[in-house]
Structures are given as C-alpha cells and as structure tokens.
Amino acid sequence: MSKTRPSYVSSVLVVALVAVFAFSAITPAIAQQRKPLRWATSAVGSFAYGAAASMTKMIEQALGGEYTITVHPYPSPTVAMKQVMDGSGEIAYTSDIGMTEFHQRVGGFKDYKPKVTELAHAWYAYPQETMMAIAAKNADKFKCLRDFSGKPVFFTNAGFMNWLNMERVFKVLGYEFKHVQIDLNSNADALQSGTIVGSATYTTAGRSLPAYWKETEVRIDIRIVNPCPDEIAKIKAAGLTVMEIDAKGAFSKSVGPSTLLGVAILLGYNAGTNIPEDVIYKMVTVLYKNKDDLAKTEPGFTPLARDFVGMQVQGINANPDIPVHPGLAKFLKEHKAWGAKWKVAGSK
C-alpha cells in the first residue's frame, strides 16, 4: 500500500482551493469591468420607461458587452435630466420642450447649473400627442379647453413632458392652469369621483397609450375633449403642431370624436457631452438598423421606422442652438443629413 505524505496532500488541497476561488472570481471581475450606462427616465409604467427597458439588450450587444445598461425611473423627466447632468446617469429621457427649458434656464431649470456635464442632442425616438379626457358622464359640461380653466385637472405627473406641453398650451390660450397631483393608479377613480374634472392623456405616434391610461379606459367610460376652432387657431399661431389622431387606432372603445386633436411634442433620449462618441454612434446605428423591428414590437415607433433620420433632424431643429453629440453628428453626416448651422458638442 502506498503512502502519501500529509504535507503533500495539504499542498494539493490548497492549490485546488485557490484555483476554485480564482475561477469563481472571474465572472464578477468581468462584470465589474463593464462600464455603466445609466438611462434616467420617467416613472415605471410610462412609455418612456418601458421603451428604454426594451432596448437594453440590443444596445449592450452593439457596444460589444463593454457596458451594462440599467434603467432608472425618476419623478419627472426634469429630475432625470438633472440627474444625468449632475453625474448620476449618462442618458436622459427628454423632449423638445425640456431641452428648450434647459437651454433658456426657465421652468424647472431656472438658476440651474450642471455639476458634471450638459445634455446634447443624441437620439429622438417618437412623437406624442397630448389631449384632454373626462369621465363620459360629464360630457355635457366640457366642450372646449376653456371649460377646464381654473378647475382641478391632472395634467399627467408634474414636470413630465406632457404636463409641460399642456402648461404651454394653457399659457398660449390664456387659461388658468390648476394642476392636482394624483397617483397614476387612481386616475379612473379620481375622474369618476370628481376629485379632478379632467385628466390629460397622450398617444405615442397617434396609437399607443401609456399603461395607466389603458387601465383607465377599461375601468370607466371616457370622452376626449378636442380644442375648439378658435383655440386651434391660437395654438397653431404660437408655432405648435396640432395632430389628427384616429380614435379607433388609439382607444379600445368610443371616446366621442372619431378624429382626435392632440398637441404634438417630440421625445427622445439625450446624452451628456461627456459620453464617448462611439457609444452614441453605435447606439444610434443599431437602432437605425432595427427600426422596423422596433415598430413591429411597439407601434409607437412607427414614425421612427418611417423616417428615422428625419426625426433626428426635426429634434435638432426644435433647438438648433443646442450642440449635437459627436456620435449623432457622425451618423447624420454619413446619411447626408447634417445641418450647416448646427454645432457639434465639444467643437470650437
């Protein structure tokens, strides 16, 4: 019978254990080496949050596994934008309105100074159309937007882009903007009980409703109140766009008018100027290549699939004095869509 020395056995065991622990540490080490790409969006349940979450794997693969993308909800897009500019994120959900307010330092950005970076145009994803809804039982009381002046209305979450959109519409029309904040899940109950007389709703690309509105229209009968002709004239005169929406394409049952009239905004996900050019370039490029699949999965991306490049141009032209991220600039130059008067972020 052979004999093995105890010291030899101990040495072998030590080596084996070291090898096991070293191997088990490889995966966490690799994970730690991946850089964070944090998307700051609006609340869970919003289209913005859902859209961002649905694209993470696609973009991670396009970036070669170098980045880990996480989606972080915030109380409002204004807060999300500030989080990115203060260093707690890399990409922020925003809109033409939000970018305008930031550039002019008005509204939620009054006296605001970014701690780390400013936002640049990076990617515009979809249009939304804001409208006013009521409980069907009150249809005889509300015929125009003026009927909501000074009355309790939930204009979507305070500071959200559709909230800002309705705020500017009421300002253009000279109406009193009286916002009542409620929980999204209580939207139907608040309308039915009279806690609020109206609730702003919105479609994405004239079709998709946010999750809480899909629930609302199932629970109660609602009616959409279109702006009256004189109100439409004032809204258009202020440079805003009024979109026609097929009610059957957006809602599951009758909401009154067959053609709905919504005031449009353009939304997207803009990046800090400190994000490398290749990150945004690869992100925009993979989204462009998969635009048709995005539209098949979510109808809200239909306009993007139809004219991806044109939507980026439209987003930049809404705020042409704001610099364009180098990654988007490279993409647009490749597609012969670069504007001569635009400025690339970081250039002199």
Side-chain angles (χ1 to χ4, degrees):
M1 181 180 294
S2 63
K3 295 183 179 180
T4 305
R5 290 176 297 172
S7 59
Y8 176 78
V9 173
S10 298
S11 298
V12 171
L13 288 173
V14 169
V15 172
L17 287 172
V18 169
V20 168
F21 283 116
F23 180 80
S24 65
I26 291 176
T27 301
I30 293 174
Q32 290 176 2
Q33 291 174 5
R34 297 179 70 180
K35 302 172 186 177
L37 194 63
R38 297 162 293 179
W39 285 41
T41 73
S42 52
V44 174
S46 67
F47 185 90
Y49 178 89
S54 70
M55 295 181 289
T56 56
K57 295 301 180 184
M58 178 195 304
I59 298 173
E60 281 183 344
Q61 291 176 0
L63 296 177
E66 185 180 353
Y67 288 82
T68 297
I69 300 176
T70 52
V71 181
H72 302 264
Y74 288 98
S76 74
T78 300
V79 175
M81 291 169 69
K82 289 181 178 179
Q83 288 292 314
V84 170
M85 290 188 283
D86 289 342
S88 295
E90 285 70 47
I91 297 177
Y93 169 61
T94 186
S95 73
D96 54 355
I97 306 171
M99 293 296 281
T100 298
E101 288 205 333
F102 164 65
H103 183 64
Q104 297 177 353
R105 297 300 196 273
V106 297
F109 296 98
K110 184 177 181 181
D111 300 324
Y112 171 70
K113 295 181 180 179
K115 296 178 182 178
V116 175
T117 184
E118 294 200 355
L119 289 177
H121 298 296
W123 179 51
Y124 288 93
Y126 48 86
Q128 287 184 345
E129 304 84 16
T130 320
M131 298 165 282
M132 186 67 78
I134 59 172
K137 65 179 184 178
N138 296 322
D140 60 330
K141 300 177 183 177
F142 298 91
K143 303 296 183 183
C144 304
L145 293 184
R146 63 173 58 88
D147 298 325
F148 298 94
S149 181
K151 296 177 181 177
V153 174
F154 177 54
F155 290 97
T156 74
N157 278 328
F160 277 39
M161 297 308 164
N162 285 277
W163 184 92
L164 292 171
N165 197 23
M166 290 302 287
E167 184 184 43
R168 70 176 176 178
V169 168
F170 269 53
K171 184 176 181 180
V172 164
L173 297 175
Y175 300 159
E176 182 182 349
F177 187 84
K178 187 176 181 180
H179 175 72
V180 175
Q181 185 66 40
I182 62 172
D183 183 86
L184 296 181
N185 293 328
S186 67
N187 192 46
D189 292 336
L191 279 171
Q192 196 72 356
S193 67
T195 301
I196 54 175
V197 300
S199 180
T201 184
Y202 58 94
T203 51
T204 299
R207 298 182 66 178
S208 299
L209 288 171
Y212 78 98
W213 263 105
K214 290 179 181 178
E215 179 184 351
T216 298
E217 70 153 347
V218 169
R219 293 183 57 192
I220 66 171
D221 290 331
I222 63 172
R223 294 291 180 269
I224 298 297
V225 179
N226 283 334
C228 285
D230 62 312
E231 294 172 330
I232 294 172
K234 289 181 180 179
I235 292 169
K236 289 183 176 180
L240 304 181
T241 301
V242 178
M243 302 290 293
E244 292 188 355
I245 301 152
D246 180 4
K248 292 182 180 179
F251 293 89
S252 63
K253 53 188 177 182
S254 175
V255 291
S258 58
T259 299
L260 311 178
L261 302 175
V263 182
I265 54 178
L266 189 62
L267 299 108
Y269 301 83
N270 287 326
T273 56
N274 58 338
I275 305 305
E277 174 183 321
D278 68 309
V279 170
I280 300 303
Y281 174 75
K282 289 178 181 177
M283 181 187 83
V284 175
T285 299
V286 73
L287 291 169
Y288 174 71
K289 290 180 178 178
N290 289 277
K291 62 184 186 299
D292 293 329
D293 289 334
L294 288 173
K296 290 177 183 177
T297 303
E298 172 49 63
F301 287 119
T302 301
L304 180 74
R306 188 165 52 242
D307 189 5
F308 187 102
V309 174
M311 187 168 290
Q312 310 316 307
V313 172
Q314 182 183 348
I316 298 170
N317 280 335
N319 291 286
D321 294 330
I322 295 177
V324 180
H325 193 281
L328 177 59
K330 179 180 178 180
F331 173 85
L332 291 175
K333 288 176 181 178
E334 287 182 352
H335 289 267
K336 312 298 181 183
W338 179 253
K341 296 183 179 180
W342 299 341
K343 180 181 178 181
V344 178
S347 63
K348 296 182 179 180

